[in-house]
Amino acid sequence: QVQLVESGGGLVQPGGSLRLSCAASGLTFSTVAMGWFRQAPGKEREFVAAIRWSVGIASYTDSVKGRFTISGDKAKNTVTLQMNSLKPEDTAVYYCAANPRNSIYGLYDYWGQGTQVTVSS
């Protein structure tokens, strides 16, 4: 059974940083794509970043490029999202997800419960 558990959300001032973590069980990191998505109130869930461990390729949505970094530890089955220079528009519930077909842009089958990120002064 696949399980994804996020942690690290919270309240931060604009310009601050947060680090989200996702602990995964029941899957092998080297064979899946891992991604982060977010959903703000009243908006559709959107792609934020993803990584394919097998080829070392990462992808980001334009609004977070240069500010967010996705990485992880295959030995610990943990993927992280380092978020710097946070803006109020980054406020959302952030979800970790896994695509067993190892495609960054494909369908993600497995989802975590989400962690709230609030950027406000």
Side-chain angles (χ1 to χ4, degrees), residues 12-115:
V12 64
Q13 292 186 343
S17 298
L18 278 176
R19 185 178 179 89
L20 305 183
S21 293
C22 174
S25 59
L27 50 78
T28 303
F29 261 25
S30 60
T31 63
V32 302
M34 295 296 299
W36 286 96
F37 293 75
R38 66 186 180 187
Q39 186 167 20
K43 294 188 177 182
E44 296 286 324
R45 185 167 58 192
E46 66 171 348
F47 170 84
V48 176
I51 187 167
R52 287 179 62 193
W53 304 111
S54 57
V55 293
I57 293 176
S59 181
Y60 301 89
T61 192
D62 286 345
S63 63
V64 307
K65 285 180 180 177
R67 300 189 298 122
F68 291 12
T69 303
I70 187 170
S71 63
D73 187 330
K74 285 189 287 185
K76 296 181 178 179
N77 266 18
T78 300
V79 61
T80 61
L81 185 68
Q82 178 66 43
M83 306 185 295
N84 299 326
S85 302
L86 283 161
K87 305 175 181 180
E89 51 264 43
D90 294 317
T91 296
V93 177
Y94 283 71
Y95 297 91
C96 173
N99 180 355
R101 287 163 290 283
N102 202 14
S103 171
I104 286 178
Y105 300 110
L107 180 65
Y108 284 73
D109 289 355
Y110 306 106
W111 295 84
Q113 81 286 355
T115 185

